[in-house]
């Protein structure tokens, strides 16, 4: 009859007690004009009076993103539609884990909204170390600081990725590109691992560059389709060059890899991408 409560301490193999049977999550909300949203914990909660992120225990069946959004709403009155989750950074202890959900806000309102929260404040990221921080947040902050305000743009060379598997795509290039687009839309929700840090997953903005007979494929939520009039490779380089964010490009074309790497992009091989898409 009884459902195990998520709001308990867990004795962890690291030797410490942690909050949340199913782990815990917090929201790192960044607003370009105001900084990051910190919360001062009420005096009576664990690690009271310290500053940290809005967050708490993950409930049974809840994703880390859902939990972070729910806690930010309950504790700081941040509306769930006022931000876009761009990445998750996980500290995994085996018996317990903490997920920081990095999100971008544009004008989101916030205020101390329940009794666990004494105050919420937008803080310049450079000023964060000057606050009296919760021990775990203080330890995580140097890595998180580097990711504040970042996002990942994933640019996919449609012709190259479609052509990487001999499944009859040449009979219907338009249909094959549409199938790839629809799989990528699922990937936009599921996320992609950071090329350099396995603890980080991004929910990328995805740009699919199409050409030739696939030119009229339309965009869908999660995937922006860009058509090349003539040369697909040059269009991909152009798209990569205008991004301010971190860029990942999916192609096996060696010359194109060289050209986008010159703009700072990382590379994902079509085989690795197709394997990931097959898992979705
Ligand atoms: Zn632990």
């Amino acid at each position: 009859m009884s459902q195990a409560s998520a709001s308990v301490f867990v004795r962890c193999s690291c030797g410490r007690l942690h909050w949340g049977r199913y782990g815990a999550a917090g929201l790192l909300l960044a607003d370009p004009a105001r900084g990051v949203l910190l919360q001062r914990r009420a005096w009576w909660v664990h690690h009271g009076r310290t500053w940290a992120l809005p967050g708490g225990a993950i409930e049974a069946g809840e994703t880390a993103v859902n939990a972070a959004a729910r806690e930010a709403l309950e504790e700081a009155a941040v509306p769930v539609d006022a931000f876009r989750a761009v990445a998750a950074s996980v500290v995994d202890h085996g018996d317990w884990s903490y997920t920081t959900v990095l999100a971008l806000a544009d004008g989101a309102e916030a205020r101390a909204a329940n009794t666990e929260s004494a105050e919420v404040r937008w803080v310049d990221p450079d000023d964060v170390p000057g606050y009296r921080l919760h021990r775990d947040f203080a330890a995580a902050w140097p890595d998180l600081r580097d990711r504040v305000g970042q996002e990942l743009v994933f640019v996919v060379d449609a012709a190259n990725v479609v052509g990487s598997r001999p499944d009859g795509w040449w009979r219907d290039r338009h249909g094959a590109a549409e199938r790839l687009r629809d799989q990528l839309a699922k990937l936009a929700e599921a996320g992609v691992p950071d090329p350099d840090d396995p603890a980080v997953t991004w929910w990328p903005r995805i740009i699919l560059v199409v050409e030739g007979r696939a030119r009229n494929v339309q965009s869908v939520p999660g995937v922006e389709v860009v058509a090349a009039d003539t040369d697909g490779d040059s269009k991909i380089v152009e798209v990569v060059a205008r991004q301010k964010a971190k860029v990942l490009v999916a192609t096996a074309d060696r010359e194109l890899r060289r050209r986008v790497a010159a703009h700072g992009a990382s590379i994902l091989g079509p085989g690795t991408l197709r394997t990931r898409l097959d898992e979705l």
Side-chain angles (χ1 to χ4, degrees):
M1 287 293 288
S2 70
Q3 190 187 1
S5 170
S7 301
V8 293
F9 283 102
V10 175
R11 170 67 69 186
C12 182
S13 53
C14 77
R16 288 186 13 214
L17 289 172
H18 303 296
W19 184 246
R21 186 187 301 275
Y22 308 104
L27 188 70
L28 176 47
L29 197 57
D31 182 303
R34 294 178 294 179
V36 295
L37 188 69
L38 295 192
Q39 175 199 33
R40 186 160 61 86
R41 301 156 72 87
W43 62 269
W44 56 272
V45 301
H46 193 51
H47 295 284
R49 295 196 175 97
T50 61
W51 290 84
L53 303 176
I58 298 172
E59 302 287 346
E62 201 176 39
T63 65
V65 177
N66 294 151
R70 175 180 50 71
E71 292 282 350
L73 177 65
E74 288 171 5
E75 296 179 349
V78 176
V80 291
D81 57 358
F83 61 86
R84 184 164 62 88
V86 291
S89 178
V90 179
V91 174
D92 191 351
H93 288 197
D95 294 331
W96 180 86
S97 67
Y98 187 93
T99 303
T100 303
V101 175
L102 291 104
L104 299 176
D106 190 5
E109 294 302 318
R111 61 184 163 77
N114 71 8
T115 55
E116 293 167 33
S117 186
E119 182 184 353
V120 298
R121 193 184 289 181
W122 293 97
V123 177
D124 186 311
D126 291 335
D127 295 339
V128 169
Y131 282 71
R132 185 183 163 206
L133 302 177
H134 182 288
R135 178 186 62 194
D136 296 341
F137 179 57
W141 176 249
D143 279 343
L144 295 172
R145 171 70 185 92
D146 292 340
R147 305 197 184 283
V148 166
Q150 277 195 359
E151 59 179 329
L152 180 68
V153 176
F154 185 30
V155 180
V156 179
D157 179 349
N160 190 273
V161 172
V162 164
S164 67
R165 187 181 281 180
D167 58 0
W169 54 265
W170 49 87
R171 288 191 288 270
D172 179 10
R173 290 162 200 251
H174 179 91
E178 275 189 335
R179 282 194 296 281
L180 174 61
R181 175 202 64 190
D182 293 345
Q183 286 184 304
L184 289 169
K186 288 186 197 164
L187 185 69
E189 281 187 39
V192 296
D194 185 283
D196 307 313
D197 185 348
V200 174
T201 299
W202 294 91
W203 294 286
R205 283 204 294 122
I206 298 182
I207 302 175
L208 179 64
V209 179
V210 295
E211 59 189 291
R213 290 194 187 144
R215 214 168 43 234
N216 295 322
V217 170
Q218 301 297 304
S219 297
V220 294
V223 183
E224 179 191 349
V225 180
V226 172
D229 293 327
T230 52
D231 171 17
D233 289 4
S234 293
K235 179 56 98 179
I236 289 166
V237 175
E238 180 194 315
V239 165
V240 169
R242 69 167 176 252
Q243 304 301 327
K244 293 193 184 76
K246 193 177 167 92
V247 180
L248 180 65
V249 178
T251 186
D253 185 301
R254 284 182 121 177
E255 173 62 10
L256 180 58
R257 284 177 172 222
R258 191 193 59 73
R259 290 171 72 189
V260 297
H263 289 283
S266 302
I267 305 294
L268 185 69
T272 309
L273 173 59
R274 299 292 291 254
T275 302
R276 177 89 178 103
L277 294 176
D278 288 343
E279 291 164 0
L280 298 174

